[in-house]
Amino acid sequence: MTDTNPSPPPHRDGDPAMASLMDRLAADDAARAPEGFEARLRRSVRDAQEAGATPLRLVEHQAAAERSQRAPGRRQRWLAPLALAAMVALTAALSLLVARPAAVPGDSAINLTALEAELEAELDGWTRSLDAWTGVGSETELDILAVDTLAIESDWLGVSAGDAFPSVSIDLEAGESL
Amino acid sequence: MTHAQARAIDAGDGSAPHPTLQPGAIAAAAAGDDAAWDEIIRLYARRVFAMAQSRLRDPEAAEEITQSVFATLVEALREGRYREDGRFEAWLFRVTMNRVRDAARGRVRQAMNTHAHALNLGTPNAAGPDHAGAHRPAADTLAALRHAMEGLPPADREVLELRHHGGLGFRQIADLLKEPVGTLLARHHRALRKLRTALESAGIDPDTLGGAPAASRDLSEESKP
């Protein structure tokens, strides 16, 4: 029997009707460009050519990205590694104490000033590293982290935080900046 | 020539279905020729935008990506990082694809919103060109198609977007994705079949939509009447 209604010839797009529909979807998406889209793009390209600088809208985009990094949801994401780093910093600080033969919690012979300086130096190094690593530059949160860690240290020493670290310009008991 | 025939020829010789740059245009652009840049923007800006818009469903984000891609192009030409070897489109859309991937990854957390947004099509920019002409399928058909696209595996979706939104030929896509042409043809065919199945499940028959195909697409603002 002769096939009087042959199939269309093989087509590289496989399904011409669907391919056509996809073309229309693409055209519809292209038509959603905001008004003045190409004019802005030309201006940005010209600015970048002339000044060798980042186009204005990219600068705005980077600023928006930085703002979003400071948003609460974003902050929660990078607080997790900070917490881990804090544990490492704490371990490092404790190792300094354990290494001292005469260092017994509550022992008045402990040189608190020297200990404080060591801990501060240790934590300062960590906070600088974290600051550079995260690229966020949120000194406030890193300071709070340091305060919390110092407060834990003072508890371990069995002395009040204020007595243990008198030169730290923060309220260790409250755990926040003065 | 029908749209289907045009497509077949394209796939056979590997050329793109869109107009391409004149020889020497890239070198002229690198030398700061404004007319060459205008031509590059006219030919590619909306195709880059469409790829980003298809994935992100956010015109502002899509414009940012387009700006970013062109900024990369300016820098690459200025610093001699792009070497003209006749593969400009593959290079440009590789940059685009990477930017879109990055942006899409950043939006995984908003997947539910994206899904909802896909169904909320609104109206394309009234000031923009009506590329689909008077035979644009009903908005609900495009909405259903977008919804079906959301359900495709990323590799399938990427081939479709490079082909239809980016306007690349299969050989260019193969060059870009570093995969054999045959593999991409098969993937594209399977992806279209999945979309067809999804549309038919939604009660839409793609074969009855008819109308003039959008084969001749000059995706530029200059094409506005």
Side-chain angles (χ1 to χ4, degrees):
Chain A
M1 188 173 72
T2 303
D3 185 355
T4 57
N5 185 23
S7 300
H11 189 272
R12 288 291 190 135
D13 268 326
D15 186 334
M18 283 304 302
S20 177
L21 201 53
M22 277 301 303
D23 279 347
R24 295 174 190 210
L25 184 70
D28 190 79
D29 281 336
R32 290 174 188 275
E35 192 172 357
F37 158 76
E38 288 189 356
R40 281 192 296 277
L41 185 56
R42 281 194 180 88
R43 199 160 52 239
S44 292
V45 166
R46 196 162 294 128
D47 288 348
Q49 280 182 282
E50 291 174 356
T54 307
L56 178 61
R57 285 186 63 81
L58 287 184
V59 173
E60 293 170 351
H61 182 55
Q62 286 161 359
E66 287 172 7
R67 283 196 298 275
S68 72
Q69 275 195 318
R70 295 193 174 96
R74 182 82 182 183
R75 178 179 297 171
Q76 287 169 6
R77 275 207 297 277
W78 62 263
L79 273 178
L82 282 184
L84 177 63
M87 290 300 294
V88 175
L90 178 58
T91 304
L94 288 175
S95 68
L96 291 173
L97 298 174
V98 171
R100 293 168 179 271
V104 178
D107 187 340
S108 60
I110 294 175
N111 184 343
L112 288 178
T113 304
L115 179 60
E116 174 194 349
E118 285 188 37
L119 288 174
E120 280 192 78
E122 187 80 22
L123 289 168
D124 189 48
W126 272 102
T127 52
R128 284 176 195 279
S129 299
L130 288 168
D131 193 24
W133 178 53
T134 59
V136 174
S138 177
E139 293 179 2
T140 303
E141 297 221 6
L142 293 173
D143 283 348
I144 291 172
L145 178 70
V147 170
D148 289 344
T149 308
L150 287 172
I152 293 169
E153 299 290 352
S154 66
D155 285 347
W156 190 85
L157 287 169
V159 296
S160 75
D163 289 341
F165 307 103
S167 67
V168 180
S169 61
I170 43 184
D171 185 351
L172 293 174
E173 307 293 356
E176 60 188 22
S177 298
L178 290 173
Chain B
M1 178 184 292
T2 66
H3 177 58
Q5 287 168 328
R7 282 291 193 188
I9 290 172
D10 155 48
D13 66 12
S15 63
H18 288 275
T20 53
L21 279 177
Q22 294 296 317
I26 298 298
D33 186 322
D34 283 344
W37 275 109
D38 285 349
E39 183 70 355
I40 291 173
I41 290 171
R42 188 181 72 81
L43 289 177
Y44 299 110
R46 282 189 182 264
R47 289 157 65 181
V48 169
F49 175 90
M51 271 197 67
Q53 169 67 11
S54 173
R55 188 64 60 93
L56 303 175
R57 313 247 53 85
D58 179 346
E60 288 190 7
E63 182 173 356
E64 297 288 356
I65 285 177
T66 309
Q67 292 261 352
S68 170
V69 169
F70 275 78
T72 299
L73 175 59
V74 171
E75 289 172 6
L77 293 182
R78 186 172 56 218
E79 297 166 8
R81 284 189 285 115
Y82 171 75
R83 188 179 59 190
E84 174 60 22
D85 58 0
R87 295 177 173 179
F88 172 72
E89 292 191 355
W91 181 88
L92 185 72
F93 283 97
R94 183 182 296 118
V95 174
T96 303
M97 190 178 66
N98 289 336
R99 296 286 153 78
V100 171
R101 281 176 179 170
D102 288 345
R105 271 197 292 268
R107 292 178 170 229
V108 167
R109 290 155 64 95
Q110 302 171 1
M112 292 303 290
N113 291 340
T114 303
H115 175 76
H117 198 161
L119 298 174
N120 181 22
L121 287 171
T123 304
N125 175 23
D130 183 357
H131 303 300
H135 299 284
R136 183 201 308 277
D140 57 352
T141 298
L142 293 184
L145 187 55
R146 281 193 174 90
H147 184 54
M149 287 275 285
E150 299 282 344
L152 289 178
D156 288 0
R157 189 171 181 183
E158 212 155 66
V159 171
L160 287 175
E161 288 170 341
L162 287 167
R163 173 67 171 165
H164 299 278
H165 292 73
L168 299 184
F170 283 111
R171 286 183 188 166
Q172 289 177 308
I173 298 173
D175 184 37
L176 192 158
L177 295 177
K178 309 293 184 201
E179 293 196 53
V181 173
T183 301
L184 295 172
L185 285 167
R187 186 181 301 160
H188 181 261
H189 180 70
R190 280 197 304 270
L192 288 182
R193 194 167 54 200
K194 289 174 190 172
L195 293 179
R196 171 179 281 275
T197 302
L199 289 184
E200 288 173 348
S201 298
I204 298 169
D205 180 2
D207 295 321
T208 63
L209 293 172
S216 142
R217 293 182 296 173
D218 181 9
L219 301 179
S220 69
E221 290 182 342
E222 286 76 10
S223 67
K224 283 189 288 189

